[in-house]
Amino acid sequence: MNRYTLDYVRPMDPGWSEMRHFLMMNEPVHSLPLGLAEHFTTHPESRIDLAYAGIIRDPGQKIVMTALRTEQHNLILSETNHPDAVDILIQDVQQGSARIPGVIGPRYLSQRFAEAWQKRTGDTVFLEMNERIHRLTKVLIDAQSLGAIRLARSHDRDWIIEWVQEFIHEATPLQSQGALRNAERSTAKLNLDPHAGGFFVLESNGTARCLVGYGNPTIKGIRVGPVYTPPLYRRRGYATELVRAVSQTLLDWGYREVYLFTDLKNPTSNRIYRTVGYEVVADVDSYAFSAMSS
């Protein structure tokens, strides 16, 4: 008999506040699910995209783990000191009517979920990405004169979507549908509140050279990404300078922390972000699931 219990939660439920409080206890590690939870809390019109939200309790009714998913995206696992609690979640999700495209979470937990999922469903499981979460509280390098930096506006929308598509193709091709949908929604709001999310552009000689997005604000911080430089303009320092500028701007706007996810297969970008001032917080892995064809 499983000693854990799982409850579904929705915004405005008492359990939703409990989930947010649990995630806040380690905000840098939980910047992804917490940013989504805050968004659903303050934007009721967006709740149609909430596909799954669950909290797992121990026998004393203390929350030990959470899981959150939006439409067309991977299930996001929180950290936990009770890795066996994931078993009740796997069973519940597997019995649901909608298949999930994958899972992302702390390395030890996402691997356990993926292996158990494969055994239960027969799905093919792919390790999509080894990622590292970083946090910045102070920018460590000075500005470089590499071009003009500005906020993206609505007239930039078409080419930004093209660049985001290129980024997705390189970084997360198995999550392309959901990631592109996010980009389309973000660019549709470019002329609204820039403090809540958007894109910055670095231009040189009137030509865009690098793009950095940001959004999903949490209680103390906000997340940066995607960071994309077209191949023609790489290795010239554009990404370093634009990440530096965006990070400083976000701190100047009042955010106390800035979060960033990197691909561990790209040592160059990880080194660059450390020079800017980002410190390692934790490693997470994302797995993609593909149903076996009959």
Side-chain angles (χ1 to χ4, degrees):
M1 182 177 180
N2 202 309
R3 62 194 183 99
Y4 299 100
T5 57
L6 186 148
D7 297 327
Y8 302 118
V9 293
R10 301 291 295 182
M12 306 309 293
D13 292 345
W16 186 265
S17 296
E18 291 183 85
M19 179 184 72
R20 291 173 62 236
H21 178 73
F22 175 85
L23 295 172
M24 288 176 202
M25 290 191 293
N26 196 339
E27 189 168 327
V29 170
H30 295 145
S31 58
L32 179 57
L34 183 57
L36 290 172
E38 293 305 293
H39 178 73
F40 288 128
T41 300
T42 57
H43 295 80
E45 74 283 357
S46 69
R47 294 172 188 170
I48 189 173
D49 293 324
L50 179 60
Y52 189 97
I55 54 178
I56 301 173
R57 303 179 187 271
D58 66 11
Q61 292 301 293
K62 178 182 177 181
I63 296 179
V64 296
M65 183 182 170
T66 71
L68 185 68
R69 187 174 80 84
T70 56
E71 290 290 346
Q72 300 179 341
H73 285 81
N74 288 355
L75 185 71
I76 307 168
L77 308 180
S78 72
E79 67 172 358
T80 181
N81 292 324
H82 300 255
D84 55 329
V86 77
D87 296 338
I88 190 173
L89 174 66
I90 295 167
Q91 179 180 352
D92 182 73
V93 175
Q94 192 263 331
Q95 291 175 344
S97 58
R99 299 192 67 84
I100 62 173
V103 65
I104 181 172
R107 178 163 298 163
Y108 65 93
L109 201 59
S110 57
Q111 180 180 5
R112 177 169 180 155
F113 189 106
E115 291 174 350
W117 185 265
Q118 186 173 40
K119 290 179 181 178
R120 279 181 170 271
T121 65
D123 283 2
T124 300
V125 172
F126 305 90
L127 175 59
E128 186 172 29
M129 188 179 295
N130 300 120
E131 295 182 271
R132 178 160 286 169
I133 305 174
H134 299 74
R135 170 179 57 184
L136 176 143
T137 57
K138 181 180 179 180
V139 173
L140 301 181
I141 60 175
D142 295 329
Q144 303 294 313
S145 300
L146 298 178
I149 295 172
R150 64 173 178 84
L151 272 168
R153 292 300 183 186
S154 57
H155 64 267
D156 300 301
R157 187 170 189 260
D158 289 343
W159 70 262
I160 287 178
I161 290 177
E162 289 181 7
W163 280 26
V164 171
Q165 285 180 305
E166 294 172 11
F167 169 82
I168 294 168
H169 180 73
E170 287 187 17
T172 57
L174 298 178
Q175 299 180 33
S176 59
Q177 188 175 9
L180 181 58
R181 184 182 180 190
N182 278 355
E184 291 172 342
R185 289 185 174 182
S186 298
T187 53
K189 302 176 181 179
L190 286 176
N191 286 341
L192 299 180
D193 181 11
H195 288 219
F199 295 86
F200 277 89
V201 183
L202 187 153
E203 294 178 331
S204 179
N205 297 323
T207 301
R209 304 296 175 95
C210 185
L211 178 73
V212 171
Y214 65 97
N216 284 93
T218 59
I219 307 304
K220 295 187 295 185
I222 191 168
R223 185 160 50 89
V224 166
V227 178
Y228 183 70
T229 306
L232 180 63
Y233 304 128
R234 292 177 186 173
R235 297 179 178 85
R236 304 185 190 184
Y238 293 133
T240 303
E241 170 57 13
L242 189 52
V243 169
R244 180 211 63 80
V246 172
S247 302
Q248 186 61 61
T249 298
L250 295 172
L251 293 176
D252 292 343
W253 284 352
Y255 291 105
R256 287 177 281 169
E257 300 180 339
V258 185
Y259 311 120
L260 177 71
F261 283 61
T262 63
D263 184 351
L264 285 175
K265 290 189 298 184
N266 190 335
T268 300
S269 66
N270 281 272
R271 184 176 66 253
I272 286 172
Y273 299 137
R274 285 196 298 271
T275 66
V276 174
Y278 283 88
E279 301 175 340
V280 175
V281 171
D283 290 344
V284 296
D285 286 345
S286 59
Y287 288 84
F289 305 152
S290 177
M292 297 293 288
S293 59
S294 56

